[in-house]
Amino acid sequence: MIDNIPLAVMTVDPVTYKIDYVNKTSKELVRSIEHLLPIKTDDLVGSSIDVFHENPERQRQILRDPANLPFNARISLGPELLDLKISAITADDGSFLGPMLTWAIVTQKVAAKEKIRQLAHYDTLTGLANRTTFNERLKERLNASDDGPGLLYIDLDGFKLVNDTRGHNIGDELLKCVAEKLRNLGEDEDITIGRLGGDEFAILVPYNDPARMEAFASRVIAELSSPRSIEYHRKIHISASIGIAYAPAHGTTGEELQKNADIALYAAKKAGKRCYRMFSEKMRIDMYERLRLQERLSSALRDNRNIFLYYQPIIDVKTGQTMGREALIRWYQPDRGWVSPTDFIPVAENSDLIDRLGEFVLTKACCDAADWDDGLPVAVNVSAAQLGRDTLTSMVRAALAKSGLSHDRLEIEVTETAVLNNEAGAIRDLLQIRDLGVRVALDDFGTGFSSLTHLLSFPFDKIKIDGSFVQDAVQRKKAAAIVGAIAGLGARLGVTTVAEGVETQDQLRLVVREGCKAIQGFHTGRPAPMANDAHVIAALTGKTPASIITDIKGPSSLHPH
């Protein structure tokens, strides 16, 4: 019966330690590893059991004494692993007759278990600790000491652009390169590095000295910001933002410490990226304020309450007449007054509200413009977060259909930064919008990183010169030269150039002299709401409609000289 079961069995004489029985399954297994043994399979019976062991004396002690049994062991035999179980064979009276060995080759089973363990605890792409393992290490460090540890949260600036424009294979190679750089930085320190997902990494350091952590963060940013070449591609430039938190000052649990490091990371990205920020209570307060603002904005959009569009005229310098108007969003809260767009638009961009906000602005601007007596076009700004997602074209089409506005009376404005964030997707969206007959303007020209490249990659209908150049131009010859150069470039390309931020008569004279075709700014026209909105705003703010509204239906005159 034993000879025919699928379990490898041997018995050994407890006095001579010679194998006195080998079943059929044992012979088959031994034959598969025969090259690792000093004897042949057919010679097993009568041979010493010592052939399986590097330390036979210890094994003999186990075999001779039934008190040691049962006994389990794992034996290495060259590259193979064997699981061994030794049991005692006894007579009817309980006397010890000898040991019986059952065994199996478990090399592949152990390798499979190790692979499963690796997959469960380490990131498959970079080999770094995954989120689960990193959290376990963080918990261990917190339990082991009342002094520390420190936590650095790292987010790669510009990674999405690389991934979108050069493909996921290059993105994966870049992530592996980042992981290797982080390992090299931490060679001399007892740190844990993890990839938490996407382009998010974390480093756990065994100290909570702020100066030391900031110095380490600076090294990380400097190393990750250095350009690198991947395969045949030209050098790739990215940078990193880092949020820092440490125990016990910023939390005594892993969850609390991670949450605060994430808040600090948000502050670093908001500060302009490629920098680090140490967590502070003010950051937490700011975060709660953003969440509160997000909830209020969501409610205002849902109920269509207290969100308005103001319109600022764009003036043709040759005729002095209004040639179009730009829609500018305004939001009023009874308990805090007017909320700056610089406060609530980033909140919308970092949540799912940007599409709802963009849809509201597009639809209302088109509907308002459809009621204008003069039939002038309306310009609407589009956020960077709306580009490259294949939703903008359908949004524009729906707004035009609902309002009945002629397609050539709508102009979409995008900033250079918006195009830069996702160039391929942005250009695709803008081309689709142009195919609808809608015009496209490049806003804040001169402040981006590759202005001329964008002019080559897309045929913009209008270039709007950033107001910072205009406001400096009177006092600084270089700024005036830039305004003139952009105006000249627009003329050569057959594109209208608009000088933004014109606030004084001197600025007006200068931009006209430098060749700008149109202007926009407080000097020639302040933003104002539609008449029906002016009455609502007056009721909210306690002012009279007359003090709010400007007649935007008639032409606006300009007298530059």
Side-chain angles (χ1 to χ4, degrees):
M1 180 188 71
I2 293 175
D3 200 43
N4 287 287
I5 63 174
L7 182 69
V9 178
M10 292 182 186
T11 58
V12 179
D13 187 299
V15 178
T16 65
Y17 303 107
K18 289 184 177 180
I19 301 169
D20 52 21
Y21 171 74
V22 180
N23 77 342
K24 187 176 179 181
T25 303
S26 273
K27 290 179 181 178
E28 292 172 355
L29 290 183
V30 171
R31 193 165 280 115
S32 69
I33 57 171
E34 195 175 63
H35 59 289
L36 301 173
L37 297 170
I39 61 171
K40 300 296 182 184
T41 304
D42 294 336
D43 300 330
L44 274 176
V45 175
S47 298
S48 173
I49 192 66
D50 294 347
V51 296
F52 288 98
H53 303 285
E54 291 183 357
N55 186 6
E57 182 52 39
R58 180 172 180 275
Q59 190 68 22
R60 287 186 173 201
Q61 290 175 0
I62 295 169
L63 293 172
R64 76 166 68 101
D65 187 354
N68 295 324
L69 306 179
F71 178 81
N72 297 306
R74 177 164 290 170
I75 302 170
S76 295
L77 196 64
E80 302 290 355
L81 292 174
L82 282 62
D83 266 2
L84 176 67
K85 181 176 181 180
I86 307 173
S87 304
I89 303 173
T90 57
D92 289 341
D93 61 2
S95 59
F96 180 52
L97 298 178
M100 180 176 74
L101 288 69
T102 57
W103 61 288
I105 299 172
V106 294
T107 310
Q108 291 184 349
K109 181 180 178 181
V110 170
K113 286 182 68 176
E114 176 58 27
K115 185 174 182 180
I116 291 170
R117 190 190 74 84
Q118 182 76 14
L119 291 172
H121 294 279
Y122 294 90
D123 176 52
T124 55
L125 179 66
T126 63
L128 298 175
N130 62 13
R131 184 181 290 273
T132 300
T133 302
F134 190 86
N135 289 345
E136 289 174 357
R137 301 272 175 86
L138 175 57
K139 186 177 180 180
E140 290 169 4
R141 286 282 176 89
L142 286 167
N143 292 335
S145 172
D146 295 330
D147 192 22
L151 179 61
L152 283 71
Y153 258 25
I154 304 168
D155 186 78
L156 302 182
D157 308 324
F159 175 76
K160 185 178 185 301
L161 180 62
V162 172
N163 220 29
D164 291 345
T165 58
R166 303 197 183 185
H168 292 283
N169 289 338
I170 297 301
D172 286 349
E173 290 300 316
L174 182 57
L175 291 173
K176 288 192 282 187
C177 182
V178 167
E180 188 60 31
K181 284 179 176 290
L182 293 178
R183 284 194 193 94
N184 293 338
L185 280 170
E187 279 182 335
D188 300 328
E189 300 196 49
D190 180 20
I191 67 174
T192 298
I193 306 169
R195 181 185 175 212
L196 306 185
D199 61 338
E200 296 178 0
F201 295 81
I203 299 178
L204 189 63
V205 297
Y207 48 82
N208 61 3
D209 178 6
R212 191 175 173 187
M213 284 186 286
E214 288 177 347
F216 186 62
S218 294
R219 288 173 55 206
V220 171
I221 291 170
E223 186 63 28
L224 296 186
S225 298
S226 60
R228 68 220 69 201
S229 297
I230 296 178
E231 295 181 353
Y232 56 87
H233 286 257
R234 61 187 180 185
K235 288 187 181 295
I236 293 175
H237 296 263
I238 61 168
S239 59
S241 300
I242 300 179
I244 307 172
Y246 60 88
H250 301 150
T252 55
T253 67
E255 182 180 357
E256 191 176 11
L257 209 58
Q258 288 179 320
K259 181 174 68 175
N260 291 337
D262 200 32
I263 291 172
L265 174 60
Y266 180 89
K269 297 185 80 67
K270 188 178 180 182
K273 304 180 181 179
R274 197 176 179 177
C275 63
Y276 64 82
R277 287 292 182 269
M278 184 77 68
F279 172 77
S280 69
E281 280 301 318
K282 184 179 182 303
M283 292 178 185
R284 191 201 306 276
I285 293 169
D286 290 344
M287 181 199 69
Y288 287 137
E289 178 60 26
R290 287 194 302 273
L291 291 175
R292 186 165 173 264
L293 205 61
Q294 180 179 324
E295 291 171 0
R296 286 191 167 198
L297 181 59
S298 177
S299 176
L301 286 169
R302 183 183 63 245
D303 302 333
N304 192 18
R305 184 180 70 251
N306 299 350
I307 299 183
F308 309 96
L309 290 187
Y310 278 46
Y311 296 92
Q312 184 172 36
I314 302 169
I315 309 298
D316 185 321
V317 298
K318 186 175 181 179
T319 65
Q321 303 299 309
T322 300
M323 58 186 294
R325 300 181 183 92
E326 180 181 356
L328 303 170
I329 190 164
R330 298 290 184 264
W331 180 27
Y332 187 84
Q333 289 188 18
D335 61 338
R336 62 181 290 180
W338 292 105
V339 184
S340 171
T342 58
D343 290 334
F344 70 82
I345 289 179
V347 168
E349 289 176 330
N350 289 312
S351 66
D352 61 352
L353 296 178
I354 190 60
D355 282 337
R356 290 167 59 188
L357 188 64
E359 184 179 16
F360 168 83
V361 173
L362 263 172
T363 304
K364 180 167 174 53
C366 289
C367 289
D368 285 349
D371 290 337
W372 294 345
D373 295 337
D374 51 24
L376 290 177
V378 62
V380 177
N381 290 281
V382 169
S383 163
Q386 293 177 264
L387 289 172
R389 296 167 57 188
D390 295 322
T391 58
L392 185 59
T393 305
S394 59
M395 196 180 293
V396 170
R397 189 183 288 113
L400 290 169
K402 182 175 181 178
S403 64
L405 187 72
S406 173
H407 291 208
D408 60 359
R409 288 186 60 198
L410 176 62
E411 188 174 274
I412 296 296
E413 292 189 4
V414 295
T415 64
E416 291 183 273
T417 305
V419 176
L420 184 66
N421 284 344
N422 181 4
E423 190 163 359
I427 295 298
R428 182 181 65 248
D429 278 357
L430 296 180
L431 287 171
Q432 292 174 355
I433 289 170
R434 279 289 299 272
D435 288 342
L436 295 177
V438 174
R439 291 182 293 183
V440 180
L442 184 59
D443 198 11
D444 298 339
F445 185 82
T447 59
F449 295 98
S450 52
S451 309
L452 297 179
T453 301
H454 293 145
L455 291 179
L456 286 172
S457 61
F458 186 84
F460 290 97
D461 298 288
K462 184 183 292 182
I463 300 172
K464 302 187 78 172
I465 305 172
D466 188 71
S468 61
F469 295 115
V470 174
Q471 289 161 14
D472 286 348
V474 174
Q475 302 297 329
R476 299 177 60 191
K477 292 183 178 180
K478 288 184 179 180
I482 291 174
V483 171
I486 297 174
L489 179 63
R492 294 284 295 273
L493 294 174
V495 176
T496 299
T497 53
V498 181
E500 296 184 290
V502 177
E503 297 181 354
T504 68
Q505 186 68 23
D506 288 341
Q507 291 171 1
L508 173 58
R509 291 194 186 96
L510 185 141
V511 297
V512 171
R513 184 173 66 246
E514 293 295 340
C516 293
K517 302 300 182 184
I519 58 172
Q520 182 179 349
F522 283 5
H523 186 67
T524 54
R526 289 179 175 270
M530 296 288 287
N532 55 341
D533 284 337
H535 288 279
V536 177
I537 295 167
L540 283 171
T541 61
K543 296 182 179 180
T544 63
S547 66
I548 296 171
I549 188 168
T550 298
D551 181 14
I552 64 168
K553 292 189 176 182
S556 297
S557 297
L558 171 68
H559 304 288
H561 305 297

